[in-house]
Amino acid sequence: MNKTIVITGGAGFIGSHVVRLFVNKYPDYRIVNLDKLTYAGNLANLKDIESKPNYIFEKGDICDLDAMRQLFQRYNVDGVIHLAAESHVDRSIRDPFTFARTNVLGTLSLLQAAKEQWNGNWEGKRFYHISTDEVYGALPFDGTLFTEHTRYDPHSPYSASKASSDHFVRAYHDTYGLPVVITNCSNNYGPYQFPEKLIPLFINNIRHKKPLPVYGKGENVRDWLFVEDHARAIDLIYHRGRTAETYNIGGFNEWRNIDLVRLLVRTVDRLLGRPEGSDEPLITFVTDRAGHDLRYAIDSSKLKNELGWEPSLQFEEGIEKTVKWYLDNQAWLDEVTSGEYEKYYERMYAGR
Ligand code: NAD
Ligand code: DAU
C-alpha cells in the first residue's frame, strides 16, 4: 500500500459512496473508514467492499482527540477526507449542542491530530474537509448563485456548525500551514441516504401510501446532485485540487420542492404500476421548518474550468435510478428505520 487515507463518516450516505470509489479505484491505497456508527451510519452500505484487502473499518468518535492521535499514529496517515458530521437540519433545530460537538469540536480534534502527526512535514499530506452550500445562507429568486466568494451567512444550527468547522480548517492552514482543501456541495440524492431526508422519506411514504409532509408551501428551491457525481468530484479534488482552495460542487439543477415531490409521485406510481400521479393526494402542506432557507444554487464553474468536472447524469435519469434503488431495497429501508441495524452492530463490534 503506498498511501493511507482516513475517510471519516464512511458508513454514512455520501461517505459510503466515497469509500466504495476509493477502495475499488485505488487498490494500492489503504482506506481506513473511521465512523462512530450513529443512527446515520450503517455498515450494510458497504457490504460489497468490506472484504477487500485495502479496506479497514475503525469504529471511533472524531471528538475523542486521544483516539484520533492514536489512529493517526497507528496507520501513519497520509490524508484525511472528512465527511463525519451530524447532517440533518431538522435534528439540529431540536438538538443544536450535538451538532456543535460533532461538527465543530470533532473537526477540531481531527485537525489537531493531523497537525501533530505530520508535524510540519506536509509533503504528500492533505486534509480534505467536506462542507455544504448551506454555509452561504439563502438566495432570493433572482437567478444569483453561490460562488466561492459568497459571504458566509448560516441560519440553522447545522449550517452554523458547518461554517464554524470550515473556519477552523482555514485557520489551521493559515496559522500552522496544514495542507487543507474545502468543498461546499449542494443537496445530494441517490442510494443509501437515511430516510429522514426528503427524497428517500417521500419515496418510502408514497410506496406505503403515507402522507407527504411538504414544509410551508413547497416553494423552497434546492440544487440536486447525484451522489456518485459528488464522489467523483471528491476523488478529483483530493488528487488535483489546489491546497488552501475552496471549490463549490453543484448540479446546476434547481428544483422547487413541490415540483420535485410531484416528479417523485409520478415516478414511484409508474414504477409500481399505479396510474401516474394518482398518489398526489398524499401531499400534505405542514408547518414550515423554522428559519427555512428559501433557495440554494451553486455555481460550480471553478471546478469545471480548473479540473474539468461536470455532473454525469440528467436529473430525471438520476431520480429514476434512485427510485428504483429504494423500491428494490425495501429491506434496507426497513432495517434502517426499525433500528435493527444498531443492534446488529452492537453485536458485531461488542468489545472493540
Ligand atoms: P450522514 O448523516 O448520512 O452520515 C454521517 C456519518 O458520520 C454517519 O456514518 C455517522 O455515523 C458518522 N458520524 C457522525 N458523528 C460522528 C462522530 N462523532 N465520529 C465519527 N463518525 C461520526 O451524512 P451525509 O449526508 O453523508 O453527509 C456527509 C458529509 O457531507 C457531512 O459533512 C455533510 O455536512 C456534508 N454534505 C452533505 C450533503 C447532503 O446533501 N447530504 C451535501 C453537502 C455536504
Ligand atoms: O444543501 C446541502 C444540504 O442538503 C446538506 O448540507 C444537508 O446535510 C442535507 O441534509 C441537505 O439539507 P436540506 O435541509 O436541504 O435537505 P432535506 O432533505 O432535509 O430537505 C430538502 C428540502 O425539502 C428542504 O427545503 C426542506 C424540505 N422538506 C424536507 C423534509 C425532510 C420538506 O418539505 N418535508 C420534509 O419532510
Side-chain angles (χ1 to χ4, degrees):
M1 305 287 166
N2 69 17
K3 210 186 259 292
T4 297
I5 301 178
V6 170
I7 299 180
T8 72
F13 166 47
I14 303 171
S16 63
H17 289 275
V18 176
V19 166
R20 177 175 297 100
L21 177 69
F22 273 69
V23 165
N24 285 331
K25 187 169 172 185
Y26 302 108
D28 54 337
Y29 290 5
R30 179 165 60 171
I31 302 300
V32 180
N33 172 10
L34 171 78
D35 201 295
K36 187 181 172 184
L37 299 180
T38 67
Y39 78 96
N42 186 352
L43 289 179
N45 299 356
L46 291 164
K47 275 210 158 37
D48 53 322
I49 56 101
E50 68 186 3
S51 55
K52 297 261 176 159
N54 62 337
Y55 172 71
I56 297 171
F57 173 69
E58 281 284 344
K59 187 171 191 296
D61 185 343
I62 55 168
C63 301
D64 184 342
L65 177 56
D66 281 337
M68 293 307 102
R69 285 179 172 133
Q70 284 165 24
L71 183 95
F72 272 74
Q73 259 180 15
R74 189 174 339 126
Y75 291 109
N76 195 17
V77 172
D78 297 291
V80 179
I81 303 179
H82 173 38
L83 296 112
E86 289 293 335
S87 69
H88 191 43
V89 175
D90 293 326
R91 284 180 189 256
S92 83
I93 294 167
R94 289 194 301 270
D95 179 17
F97 285 85
T98 300
F99 282 68
R101 178 179 179 274
T102 297
N103 298 356
V104 186
L105 297 179
T107 301
L108 186 54
S109 297
L110 281 173
L111 287 164
Q112 181 64 18
K115 170 185 164 276
E116 289 177 12
Q117 174 70 16
W118 297 339
N119 194 24
N121 302 314
W122 309 133
E123 188 61 35
K125 306 294 191 289
R126 171 147 275 189
F127 189 107
Y128 182 172
H129 177 62
I130 307 294
S131 191
T132 170
D133 59 359
E134 300 202 11
V135 299
Y136 298 125
L139 292 165
F141 292 124
D142 63 356
T144 49
L145 302 173
F146 295 134
T147 73
E148 289 80 1
H149 301 292
T150 302
R151 192 175 69 88
Y152 273 34
D153 184 22
H155 298 143
S156 73
Y158 164 69
S159 53
S161 69
K162 291 296 289 187
S164 173
S165 66
D166 294 8
H167 291 317
F168 270 107
V169 173
R170 291 197 181 94
Y172 264 64
H173 172 266
D174 297 348
T175 308
Y176 309 111
L178 198 78
V180 306
V181 64
I182 300 179
T183 54
N184 297 82
C185 188
S186 64
N187 285 63
N188 284 217
Y189 71 97
Y192 300 114
Q193 186 168 32
F194 195 83
E196 63 187 352
K197 306 281 167 65
L198 180 79
I199 290 184
L201 175 71
F202 278 32
I203 294 171
N204 204 28
N205 284 9
I206 299 164
R207 175 181 208 153
H208 297 290
K209 298 221 174 251
K210 287 180 165 163
L212 308 175
V214 174
Y215 298 160
K217 293 183 179 147
E219 281 168 351
N220 304 65
V221 167
R222 297 291 182 265
D223 177 358
W224 293 94
L225 179 69
F226 191 61
V227 62
E228 289 177 12
D229 280 332
H230 188 188
R232 271 196 310 110
I234 290 172
D235 175 20
L236 201 58
I237 292 160
Y238 181 83
H239 290 98
R240 292 180 37 213
R242 286 183 292 138
T243 298
E245 288 290 322
T246 295
Y247 296 88
N248 280 353
I249 309 174
F252 288 110
N253 179 42
E254 293 179 50
W255 282 75
R256 273 198 324 162
N257 288 343
I258 188 64
D259 298 328
L260 168 56
V261 170
R262 291 201 172 106
L263 173 67
L264 288 174
V265 169
R266 287 197 302 276
T267 311
V268 175
D269 281 347
R270 180 165 41 77
L271 290 173
L272 287 179
R274 298 175 186 166
E276 245 183 68
S278 60
D279 284 321
E280 276 203 16
L282 295 173
I283 294 174
T284 312
F285 293 96
V286 298
T287 309
D288 209 352
R289 173 185 278 174
H292 197 175
D293 286 333
L294 190 62
R295 173 175 167 256
Y296 302 145
I298 277 276
D299 179 353
S300 53
S301 49
K302 174 176 173 182
L303 179 55
K304 181 175 178 201
N305 295 338
E306 271 192 30
L307 300 177
W309 176 89
E310 277 184 291
S312 70
L313 278 186
Q314 288 300 312
F315 190 55
E316 282 78 357
E317 196 186 344
I319 282 292
E320 174 103 7
K321 219 170 144 167
T322 302
V323 170
K324 271 194 185 133
W325 189 87
Y326 286 100
L327 295 180
D328 289 347
N329 288 275
Q330 187 63 48
W332 180 89
L333 275 167
D334 290 345
E335 198 183 341
V336 163
T337 44
S338 72
E340 273 311 299
Y341 77 100
E342 281 174 0
K343 289 184 216 143
Y344 169 69
Y345 295 123
E346 273 168 25
R347 282 198 303 275
M348 199 165 160
Y349 292 101
R352 274 177 74 105

